[in-house]
Amino acid sequence: MAVALTMTVGNGVAGADVERSADPVVASGALLVSPAAADGSEIVSHDIDGQHLTLEVYSAAMDKDITVHVQRPRDASEPRPVLYLVNGAGGGVGKATWWANTNVGEFLAAQDVNVVMPVGGPFAYYADWKHDDPVLGRNKWQTFFLEELPPLVDEALGTSGVQAIAANSMTATAVLQYAIAKPGFYSAVAAYSGCAQTSDPIGTEFMKLVVETYGGGDIGNMYGDDDDPLWRANDPVVNAEGLRGTPLFLSDATGLPGPHETLGSEFTIVEPEATTEEQVLALANQVVVGGVIEAAVHWCTTNLQTRLNELGIPATYDLQPGGTHSWGYWQDAFYRSWPLLAEGLELPQ
């Protein structure tokens, strides 16, 4: 007979009521159960491949199943923390992922940490939207990340209840919003190349570029018209006081070409059989488009730095003199952020 229990998640934050499966499955030395929360969210299926799990998690808020990739700890014989590693604008749909474009996954496979990576929500800023969108659908990602997914993950994987989060590009904005929305929930936050200033005209236009130009959605369905109070309510610079007490790693570059802007670089996204001409075009796109985008997020990050300094809120800043909006620099930034993340996760450095 299944039994119900009340969980405590993270740093003393109340979780959801979950139901433990009568038939747990042993995975990498720890019990994997199939919990269901009182709000209707649940793990509906799982697939085990050695150290890797693929979960299908039903989100009650979005009324759909979300694929969640999990990499189990090197040693899962006791409760381990969770690192939520979040993909950028594409939401992990396709090839623009940490696993496909960096060696971070291999590094984390040797650590005593659960790595959790939801997939979906491309170009939706991983926000809770006001309205459903005809193109981008129903987006309640903040609810999913903060309320629905963590209790299920903690129960299913038998975690220690400690969690940190790291994200690049579009989702680096979201993780700062999450830290403000639920203070103390994350023991550390790393944001690589995200635009934190969202409610001023430049920040708003930047978000429109992602949602409308790249995603084909209507940004009015996210936070409403430009003068809607939701824009300021979700601006990490305006609400920077909410970041007090959270260990922060903030990283970007100037947008000028850096060491990874070379022909044949492993970090330039091309097909394996790409011709020299195709490689040149991909590199040019990385230099020009990636340079412009990174210059914009550098402006956002320095504004956040100024605001945090005004408030006396400490953070670790990783502002590089050269580099574009591309995976090589995010891989580098991840390793520079690892000491802060590991400390937050209570792992040896």
Side-chain angles (χ1 to χ4, degrees):
M1 178 180 295
V3 295
L5 67 157
T6 301
M7 298 174 53
T8 300
V9 184
N11 300 321
V13 181
D17 291 333
V18 297
E19 185 173 282
R20 186 186 298 272
S21 168
D23 299 307
V25 178
V26 176
S28 299
L31 292 181
L32 173 66
V33 299
S34 299
D39 65 5
S41 300
E42 62 179 332
I43 297 177
V44 296
S45 68
H46 63 270
D47 181 66
I48 305 172
D49 181 11
Q51 201 171 344
H52 298 271
L53 308 177
T54 300
L55 308 179
E56 293 298 323
V57 179
Y58 174 72
S59 164
M62 290 187 277
D63 191 24
K64 63 182 178 183
D65 292 348
I66 307 296
T67 298
V68 178
H69 293 306
V70 177
Q71 183 169 271
R72 297 290 276 133
R74 174 185 61 87
D75 176 7
S77 63
E78 60 183 87
R80 301 299 186 185
V82 179
L83 174 64
Y84 289 90
L85 185 60
V86 191
N87 295 298
V93 178
K95 298 179 180 179
T97 69
W98 285 98
W99 265 211
N101 294 285
T102 75
N103 61 16
V104 166
E106 298 170 21
F107 169 79
L108 290 171
Q111 310 303 317
D112 289 329
V113 63
N114 296 283
V115 183
V116 176
M117 182 184 293
V119 177
F123 311 111
Y125 266 92
Y126 274 4
D128 276 6
W129 286 41
K130 287 185 69 172
H131 308 294
D132 293 354
D133 188 84
V135 175
L136 299 180
R138 176 172 297 175
N139 294 291
K140 297 293 182 183
W141 289 96
Q142 181 167 302
T143 296
F144 183 71
F145 269 89
L146 293 181
E147 307 299 335
E148 295 182 326
L149 183 61
L152 300 176
V153 164
D154 285 354
E155 180 64 12
L157 303 182
T159 77
S160 68
V162 175
Q163 57 265 314
I165 193 165
N168 64 302
S169 191
M170 175 194 80
T171 57
T173 303
V175 298
L176 295 173
Q177 294 170 330
Y178 296 173
I180 293 169
K182 202 163 186 177
F185 187 69
Y186 296 115
S187 61
V189 172
Y192 320 115
S193 299
C195 185
Q197 190 165 348
T198 59
S199 65
D200 75 299
I202 295 177
T204 301
E205 287 302 316
F206 188 86
M207 294 182 76
K208 287 180 180 178
L209 174 69
V210 173
V211 172
E212 298 185 340
T213 304
Y214 292 132
D218 180 354
I219 203 163
N221 289 323
M222 184 167 70
Y223 292 147
D225 295 334
D226 290 358
D227 59 354
D228 192 299
L230 274 178
W231 282 97
R232 288 184 61 82
N234 287 280
D235 187 322
V237 175
V238 172
N239 301 284
E241 177 61 39
L243 294 170
R244 189 180 299 277
T246 298
L248 299 170
F249 184 94
L250 304 172
S251 174
D252 68 23
T254 60
L256 296 173
H260 295 304
E261 274 67 60
T262 57
L263 191 63
S265 169
E266 61 181 308
F267 298 111
T268 302
I269 300 179
V270 293
E271 296 296 330
E273 65 278 6
T275 64
T276 300
E277 181 180 3
E278 289 170 334
Q279 292 180 39
V280 169
L281 289 174
L283 178 59
N285 180 75
Q286 181 171 306
V287 170
V288 177
V289 178
V292 170
I293 293 174
E294 194 67 10
V297 300
H298 180 67
W299 176 82
C300 296
T301 302
T302 53
N303 288 340
L304 178 59
Q305 181 182 27
T306 298
R307 182 60 179 150
L308 291 174
N309 287 340
E310 290 173 351
L311 295 171
I313 297 174
T316 299
Y317 298 99
D318 177 50
L319 309 181
Q320 298 297 311
T324 61
H325 203 71
S326 53
W327 284 101
Y329 301 102
W330 298 328
Q331 174 177 289
D332 295 344
F334 175 86
Y335 287 116
R336 290 192 293 267
S337 72
W338 178 246
L340 179 138
L341 292 170
E343 182 177 2
L345 293 167
E346 303 174 5
L347 295 173
Q349 301 180 36

